[in-house]
Amino acid sequence: MLTCVGVGDVCNKGKNLVVAVSAEGWFHLFDLTSPTSKHPDASGHHELAAAEEQKPVFKQHIPANTKVMLINDIDGDGKCELVVGYTDRVVRAFRWEDLSENSDHISGQLLLLKKWLLEGQVDSLSVNPGPDGSPEMMVSQPGCGYAVLLCTWDSEQQATTEGRDNSVPSSEAPIRDVILHQTSGRIHNKNVSTHLIGSIGRGCSSENSGSGLFALCTLDGTLKLMEGADKLLWSVQVDHQLFALEKLDVTGNGHEEVIACAWDGQTYIIDHNRTVARFQADENVSAFCAGLYACKGGSNSPCLVYVSFNQKIYIYWDVQLERMESTNLLKILDCDPEFGNLLQQLGVERSNVSAVKDLIHRTLYFPEKQQQSSPLQCQDPAGTDSSAHYTVIQDPL
């Protein structure tokens, strides 16, 4: 039974591979860019014949009882590591050791870098920039908590080498490799499952210095956005059981929104200012993810993917919102230069808010009366009435 599936450059060859790990501990690599794949059709899809069953290009056994998996650079060396969380509260980090000089041929093995033992169950793995900008390995812990796992294999290897050279044992204390954090002193249930997602984008205005943004959610409906370990940006309490947490830029402004999904399909989209948009899926949900996927046209677009308990997959593609924050019609029109020109032609002062509101009100709700009175109120130099300008006004509304 497969428990972990992911995509990433786990072999550090500049090419993404599909990684599948079973509960029994079998690690499989699939190369879906092999020549056996068909050329994409007009819609951009790759169709495989029934006989072209994909077989793993590599297989290795690692410790069993796998639960969650992450492919990312967790130590800042520019190379991806494989991090696996287990059902016995253990997290292990592996690195691919290549045994072949041929970049196209996959030949090597996974080597264990480090093993961490946590106090609670591990439900999520993520990477988030630390105060100095270096990546920090984060693991969710029950009760809306998390732990930072220190990547100490380089220092441990150096200490081992120095220990061989010096016969005198070192008097330094052992390196602390797990740092626990609790985001709130008031916890309703210390055993409630928690999920987290890190490295939430803040747009072009964000600076690389300082801690990154990460979010946490719990099964009892708590949702938080934090900047570093000590700064809580906002906290939201909902009446749904949140079991999945993702990040996705649905407005196109570079700021990734936090997306949380509940078992009943209720989906929350929350921006950095705690503005909330909700969406209800058609069925109860057993699995959820969000990201940029190429569903049509061969280009990536924001997508929400739901898996129901009735063996169905729902993909909502090209999910985009014009804005998250609340606004009004007057603010939107005020940003349009053509709107100012029309007001000037109609003899309405732009600074007179009440007159502008009255004009918009009459245009929206009494367009017939507005058009009848417009020839008497304003005419252009050619002598024709300006009723056509009102049609232009109605288009942006």
Side-chain angles (χ1 to χ4, degrees):
M1 181 181 68
L2 293 178
T3 56
C4 306
V5 178
V7 178
D9 187 15
V10 67
C11 297
N12 296 296
K13 291 179 175 291
K15 180 173 64 174
N16 288 335
L17 300 173
V18 176
V19 181
V21 185
S22 67
E24 297 79 15
W26 285 107
F27 168 85
H28 303 83
L29 284 179
F30 294 88
D31 185 5
L32 300 187
T33 61
S34 60
T36 57
S37 61
K38 297 292 184 182
H39 295 290
D41 56 15
S43 62
H45 296 275
H46 290 264
E47 298 293 341
L48 298 178
E52 295 180 354
E53 180 181 355
Q54 293 295 311
K55 295 183 179 180
V57 296
F58 178 82
K59 183 178 180 181
Q60 179 180 338
H61 190 267
I62 61 176
N65 300 322
T66 59
K67 186 178 182 181
V68 290
M69 179 181 66
L70 173 69
I71 304 173
N72 209 324
D73 177 18
I74 65 174
D75 58 356
D77 64 347
K79 298 181 179 180
C80 290
E81 285 79 30
L82 175 71
V83 187
V84 182
Y86 293 81
T87 57
D88 56 357
R89 300 177 290 112
V90 168
V91 176
R92 291 180 173 91
F94 301 88
R95 177 179 291 163
W96 178 264
E97 183 184 66
D98 204 348
L99 302 179
S100 174
E101 296 181 356
N102 187 357
S103 59
D104 296 331
H105 182 65
I106 299 176
S107 176
Q109 61 180 344
L110 286 177
L111 296 181
L112 177 65
L113 293 175
K114 191 171 180 63
K115 170 185 173 182
W116 298 273
L117 179 62
L118 283 300
E119 293 184 359
Q121 285 291 332
V122 176
D123 289 310
S124 296
L125 304 171
S126 188
V127 174
N128 194 59
D132 58 351
S134 61
E136 287 185 347
M137 181 64 213
M138 303 179 66
V139 179
S140 65
Q141 288 290 271
C144 205
Y146 69 96
V148 175
L149 308 183
L150 302 184
C151 304
T152 58
W153 43 77
D154 291 335
S155 57
E156 291 175 354
Q157 183 178 5
Q158 182 179 1
T160 303
T161 305
E162 293 178 354
R164 293 175 181 176
D165 297 338
N166 302 327
S167 59
V168 180
S170 174
S171 59
E172 295 181 357
I175 300 175
R176 185 186 179 192
D177 54 4
V178 178
I179 304 177
L180 294 174
H181 294 274
Q182 195 60 252
T183 61
S184 175
R186 183 174 60 90
I187 306 173
H188 300 286
N189 184 359
K190 294 183 178 181
N191 296 320
V192 65
S193 63
T194 302
H195 293 267
L196 67 83
I197 186 76
S199 301
I200 299 176
R202 290 188 281 191
C204 300
S205 60
S206 62
E207 298 180 358
N208 295 329
S209 59
S211 301
L213 299 182
F214 66 95
L216 302 100
C217 75
T218 62
L219 195 61
D220 60 0
T222 300
L223 190 59
K224 296 182 179 182
L225 179 67
M226 301 193 65
E227 182 178 2
D230 304 323
K231 187 176 181 180
L232 175 65
L233 298 182
W234 50 253
S235 179
V236 176
Q237 186 69 39
V238 301
D239 55 355
H240 292 266
Q241 294 180 321
L242 304 177
F243 78 100
L245 190 62
E246 298 288 344
K247 58 181 181 179
L248 185 63
D249 181 13
V250 297
T251 59
N253 60 358
H255 295 257
E256 291 182 317
E257 282 72 37
V258 178
I259 303 180
C261 184
W263 292 114
D264 60 355
Q266 185 75 208
T267 307
Y268 296 88
I269 304 174
I270 310 179
D271 67 3
H272 299 179
N273 298 320
R274 209 178 68 169
T275 306
V276 183
R278 292 194 297 177
F279 172 76
Q280 178 65 54
D282 294 334
E283 299 184 30
N284 291 342
V285 179
S286 62
F288 169 79
C289 71
L292 298 175
Y293 301 104
C295 293
K296 288 187 178 181
S299 59
N300 293 331
S301 64
C303 297
L304 304 179
V305 184
Y306 300 84
V307 180
S308 71
F309 288 95
N310 297 323
Q311 299 180 351
K312 294 181 180 179
I313 300 177
Y314 296 89
I315 301 178
Y316 296 85
W317 61 280
D318 198 19
V319 179
Q320 297 187 43
L321 300 177
E322 185 177 354
R323 65 181 61 84
M324 285 291 296
E325 68 278 1
S326 61
T327 185
N328 58 52
L329 182 59
L330 190 59
K331 290 182 179 179
I332 296 176
L333 290 176
D334 198 50
C335 298
D336 190 348
E338 186 179 0
F339 178 66
N341 297 333
L342 293 174
L343 290 179
Q344 185 177 5
Q345 296 176 20
L346 294 173
V348 179
E349 292 291 337
R350 195 165 189 167
S351 58
N352 191 344
V353 179
S354 60
V356 174
K357 288 183 177 180
D358 181 66
L359 173 62
I360 296 176
H361 176 79
R362 286 186 283 113
T363 304
L364 283 175
Y365 300 105
F366 306 101
E368 297 84 1
K369 295 181 179 180
Q370 185 71 15
Q371 290 179 1
Q372 292 175 1
S373 61
S374 60
L376 301 177
Q377 294 179 356
C378 180
Q379 289 190 352
D380 58 18
T384 58
D385 68 75
S386 59
S387 60
H389 296 304
Y390 292 101
T391 304
V392 179
I393 293 177
Q394 295 179 46
D395 289 341
L397 300 179

